Amino acid sequence: MAELSTVETKRVPVTTTYHGVEVSEDYRWLEDAASEETQAWSRAQHERAIAYLRSLPSYGDIRRRAEEILKVESTSYADLRQGGATSFALKQQPPKQQPFLVTLTDVGDASTERVLVDPNSIDPNGATTIDWYDPSPDGRLVAVSLSEHGTEDGTLHLYDATTGDLVDVRIPRVNSGTAGGSMAWRGDSAGFWYTHHPERGEDDESTEFFEEVWFHPIGGTPEDRRDLAGVFADNRIVENFLSSSPDGRWVLDRAQKGDGGEWQLFVRPQDEGEWWMLADIPDRVVDAAFGPDAIFLLSTKDAPHGQILRLPMAPGATVADADVVVPQSAQTIEGLAATDGRLWVLDIDGGPSGLRAFGHDGEPLPTVELPPVCAIDGVTRLGPDRVAYPVETFVSPSTWWVATDTEAAPRPTALDTVMPLDFSGIDVRRVFATSDDGTQVPITLIARTEILDAGPAPTMLTAYGGYGISLKPWFVPGRLLWLEQGAVLAIANIRGGGEYGEEWHHAGRLLTKQTCFDDFAACARHLVSTGVTTVERLVIRGGSNGGLLMGAVLTQHPDIATAAIVEVPVLDMLRVELHPNGAFNVTEYGTVQDPDAFAALYAYSPYHRVVDGTRYPAVLLTAGEFDPRVDAYHAKKMAARLQAATSSDAPILLRIEPGGHGIGQSLDQAVGLLTDLHAFAFAQLGLAWSG
């Protein structure tokens, strides 16, 4: 193991006053990513981290196994869609670096598959990825957003779905890492509405804000720029999610105010007419699906677990005219889809998924049979009488199934995951920790049966806890590297997520965000008190909002674990909203402009809660230099602060990639990250590679 070098970090004191409170810091200069000084410091930190990680005793073995697991010849499919008689899907097939777009004339017959758009051919370096795609209703064309280097700065390309040739113009700035992007086709496939961000150089201040909706006629020039002024609750941070009705009559825009789950719904006729507001933020309509003569709305107003409303479609119709067809129940409704004869309702109950079917009048139909603890990532309408959905578990990969209005049972498609990895003998158990206020918080334990039965074992505890995002029973091949070494993976469904509905989410956002950290700490203590692991054998891990979670927990409870892995994190809660994507998070975190929100943010902001002379655990921070979602300066400033403050000999490392938030990363990047994180964890827990 190489001796850790030292990177000299200058201190430049800066003081800012918030509501009469003076807040000082020394490392704000690291926010200037363009300065030569910041770049030199960042390179030195990254090189220091890589030199240390690659010198670890198990690094070579871990790297070889990571290559074997992630690059094993396999296939998997995502984002299945329908255009005319043709099915489209994104296919992942290692050792190819990026997923690619394929077509099938029959989802039940793999021999009908054909490659249509392959980013690996467009860019052999693996830096180009598909952000999203959308086939035309007649299946003749497909629009694809492509971006590079993890920037998520997407350019729309239009392809002939038969030949794969590029047609029409290329439209830049249709997607970003802040507001995202989407599109909706006209019913006659003669044009489409799409999201558009300000061009680079138009206005540096607004480049990542003020997403608009435009219309593009095939063979013509983009037109009908939509005036958003005075329409949206905050058009600076609007995020537009566009879709069309199957009958080609209506266009829907689900417009979210930032990332906090506040929605407005707008509709317009496809042929002529203006947009009108179907639902406002107080109506709490969070999702919608068109039926043949009505739109079905998922609302949480007076129903935190969700209820489905039916609204007949007519010009000027609003949610006030809707009737409840599926009332709230014990399960939380997560999504919906509609065929001509049925309403399909996707549920979640603490993490695992469920799927129910109803008539359009809300009459219950037989529940769709699923594995007992599984995940479904959405239900997709494929035609007038059928839907498709992918099913996976912690130990079995995804398979796409088709259900119809008339058949008694769903049937599997040819779009299953072929992966020669052995997860047999891996046990999945559900336990509950008691948080500080008495709330029962679910934890899923995943390990070989004999490991769970034997007593204290090396354990990695992870969680997310934000934005109403739920940690479902996803199948993640890379976990095998950890599990086959006799270790335990623990996944906590803490508050702030959506596992138990809107109340669970709202209990961990804005002024109640501290609840998330309390829940996670309770889960860590539970694993120790029940003998699953010990503090000396526990590593905690989280990314993005989960990186904030890690930062808060390690500063509030520095003795709770031996090591912390903090990936692409948000850590300076007083400065985050000043940068593009941070502004979109105000509806989830709050703003320093409000005195009460400032007090809450300052109380837990990890960067400001670091205390000199504290024995901090080993910490590995990661960042993407081009990350559009969380600026890399968060990890940089935290690394500098922890390195200066800690009184322990445990390493504080900063790993910075020339990439983004992890979205669109290449296969080689995924291998490198999996290797480095596990080499770090193995070393801190004193684990030796067992072959």
Side-chain angles (χ1 to χ4, degrees):
M1 184 186 304
E3 184 174 340
L4 265 174
S5 60
T6 300
V7 177
E8 295 296 329
T9 307
K10 71 175 184 179
R11 298 189 179 198
V12 182
V14 178
T15 299
T16 304
T17 301
Y18 302 89
H19 308 289
V21 179
E22 291 188 347
V23 179
S24 298
E25 62 163 308
D26 293 330
Y27 304 110
R28 188 175 296 178
W29 63 273
L30 288 170
E31 294 181 16
D32 185 2
S35 79
E36 293 183 3
E37 193 169 21
T38 299
Q39 292 175 2
W41 181 90
S42 300
R43 282 194 301 272
Q45 287 284 355
H46 178 70
E47 290 168 0
R48 171 180 180 265
I50 293 302
Y52 172 83
L53 294 169
R54 292 184 179 176
S55 72
L56 297 174
S58 297
Y59 179 86
D61 292 317
I62 294 173
R63 176 80 192 198
R64 282 189 291 274
R65 186 57 177 148
E67 293 264 1
E68 291 171 356
I69 291 173
L70 296 189
K71 292 191 173 183
V72 65
E73 290 190 11
S74 61
T75 61
S76 60
Y77 297 86
D79 199 13
L80 177 62
R81 297 191 176 209
Q82 192 76 14
T86 303
S87 298
F88 298 76
L90 292 178
K91 183 176 183 179
Q92 178 80 58
Q93 190 174 35
K96 286 195 172 186
Q97 295 291 322
Q98 292 284 355
F100 50 98
L101 183 62
V102 300
T103 65
L104 300 97
T105 56
D106 181 357
V107 293
D109 184 357
S111 68
T112 66
E113 180 183 303
R114 182 174 60 86
V115 177
L116 184 62
V117 180
D118 187 358
N120 303 283
S121 299
I122 297 171
D123 179 3
N125 293 321
T128 298
T129 192
I130 295 175
D131 305 307
W132 46 263
Y133 78 95
D134 201 346
S136 62
D138 61 13
R140 293 187 304 105
L141 301 170
V142 60
V144 180
S145 174
L146 296 170
S147 63
E148 300 176 346
H149 301 293
T151 60
E152 302 179 60
D153 186 357
T155 297
L156 190 146
H157 299 68
L158 197 62
Y159 292 91
D160 185 301
T162 301
T163 65
D165 294 334
L166 280 167
V167 298
D168 207 63
V169 299
R170 287 188 294 181
I171 306 175
R173 303 286 289 150
V174 300
N175 190 77
S176 75
T178 50
S182 64
M183 62 167 290
W185 284 90
R186 276 182 56 101
D188 59 6
S189 302
F192 51 84
W193 289 264
Y194 67 97
T195 51
H196 181 264
H197 298 74
E199 299 293 343
R200 302 286 184 193
E202 282 185 8
D203 181 347
D204 291 341
E205 175 63 25
S206 64
T207 294
E208 304 301 334
F209 303 107
F210 302 105
E211 181 182 79
E212 294 184 319
V213 176
W214 289 44
F215 180 76
H216 177 71
I218 302 300
T221 302
E223 58 185 34
D224 288 357
R225 176 172 176 165
R226 179 174 172 190
D227 181 10
L228 303 181
V231 176
F232 290 97
D234 188 343
N235 64 321
R236 182 173 184 263
I237 55 171
V238 67
E239 305 172 10
N240 300 281
F241 296 83
L242 301 167
S243 60
S244 298
S245 63
D247 61 10
R249 295 180 59 195
W250 311 100
V251 184
L252 173 69
D253 183 0
R254 294 169 51 240
Q256 185 175 204
K257 177 187 173 185
D259 291 332
E262 297 180 345
W263 298 85
Q264 293 171 299
L265 271 64
F266 298 86
V267 180
R268 62 155 288 164
Q270 287 201 11
D271 292 328
E272 60 182 17
E274 300 296 327
W275 296 88
W276 80 86
M277 184 186 295
L278 185 148
D280 204 351
I281 289 175
D283 298 314
R284 310 204 66 79
V285 175
V286 298
D287 201 0
F290 284 105
D293 58 359
I295 187 170
F296 294 94
L297 309 171
L298 170 54
S299 172
T300 60
K301 184 178 181 180
D302 302 321
H305 285 190
Q307 60 185 356
I308 305 295
L309 315 178
R310 182 181 181 276
L311 174 65
M313 280 305 301
T318 72
V319 67
D321 304 315
D323 295 318
V324 176
V325 290
V326 180
Q328 178 178 232
S329 64
Q331 306 102 312
T332 294
I333 300 176
E334 192 177 37
L336 72 161
T339 48
D340 285 358
R342 291 193 180 187
L343 179 62
W344 306 86
V345 176
L346 178 60
D347 297 321
I348 185 170
D349 186 6
S353 296
L355 183 59
R356 292 181 287 163
F358 298 85
H360 286 182
D361 59 357
E363 181 67 25
L365 298 170
T367 298
V368 180
E369 291 190 11
L370 298 171
V373 181
C374 73
I376 297 178
D377 187 18
V379 182
T380 301
R381 175 186 164 114
L382 290 187
D385 65 347
R386 64 176 185 158
V387 295
Y389 52 90
V391 179
E392 60 189 293
T393 75
F394 284 119
V395 295
S396 59
S398 173
T399 295
W400 281 85
W401 292 72
V402 168
T404 72
D405 291 352
T406 56
E407 294 177 323
R411 63 180 186 275
T413 71
L415 305 184
D416 61 347
T417 300
V418 179
M419 185 169 294
L421 297 175
D422 185 9
F423 275 76
S424 63
I426 301 297
D427 198 359
V428 178
R429 300 181 186 178
R430 189 83 154 166
V431 299
F432 290 84
T434 303
S435 195
D436 292 355
D437 62 0
T439 300
Q440 296 296 291
V441 181
I443 311 172
T444 300
L445 303 178
I446 308 170
R448 296 205 309 258
T449 302
E450 66 271 20
I451 297 300
L452 288 175
D453 291 339
T459 298
M460 183 179 291
L461 173 62
T462 188
Y464 187 78
Y467 299 93
I469 293 173
S470 303
L471 295 189
K472 294 184 177 184
W474 306 124
F475 179 81
V476 180
R479 290 174 180 161
L480 186 59
L481 191 153
W482 181 252
L483 298 174
E484 66 188 6
Q485 292 297 308
V488 177
L489 175 64
I491 301 172
N493 297 116
I494 64 175
R495 281 173 285 185
E499 289 87 350
Y500 290 115
E502 187 178 61
E503 291 174 325
W504 198 253
H505 172 209
H506 284 198
R509 68 189 280 268
L510 298 176
L511 300 183
T512 62
K513 187 65 179 174
Q514 179 62 39
T515 303
C516 304
F517 318 138
D518 295 340
D519 284 359
F520 189 84
C523 291
R525 292 192 297 267
H526 179 86
L527 296 179
V528 172
S529 66
T530 57
V532 173
T533 190
T534 63
V535 171
E536 295 74 23
R537 309 192 83 183
L538 177 63
V539 57
I540 58 176
R541 176 185 177 184
S544 193
N545 173 77
L548 164 61
L549 172 67
M550 296 303 105
V553 171
L554 76 88
T555 51
Q556 294 178 21
H557 308 279
D559 57 353
I560 206 165
T562 290
I565 296 172
V566 189
E567 301 176 69
V568 290
V570 181
L571 296 168
D572 183 341
M573 301 309 296
L574 304 188
R575 301 276 297 168
V576 60
E577 66 187 86
L578 301 179
H579 296 79
N581 198 57
F584 286 78
N585 299 322
V586 166
T587 51
E588 179 74 11
Y589 295 143
T591 172
V592 296
Q593 297 178 33
D594 176 83
D596 293 334
F598 160 73
L601 290 164
Y602 188 40
Y604 71 75
S605 177
Y607 176 62
H608 299 94
R609 299 280 70 82
V610 177
V611 177
D612 290 334
T614 301
R615 291 184 58 84
Y616 288 105
V619 180
L620 172 58
L621 297 124
T622 76
E625 200 64 80
F626 307 135
D627 190 339
R629 295 174 180 256
V630 178
D631 198 296
Y633 79 72
H634 288 273
K636 294 176 184 179
K637 291 170 64 174
M638 190 68 166
R641 184 71 186 95
L642 284 171
Q643 288 171 359
T646 188
S647 62
S648 75
D649 295 328
I652 308 293
L653 306 176
L654 174 61
R655 179 190 189 275
I656 308 174
E657 274 203 316
H661 203 59
I663 298 170
Q665 69 177 357
S666 69
L667 184 57
D668 283 340
Q669 286 178 312
V671 168
L673 182 62
L674 183 68
T675 300
D676 290 352
L677 299 189
H678 283 82
F680 174 79
F682 271 57
Q684 306 318 311
L685 301 186
L687 302 182
W689 183 259
S690 63

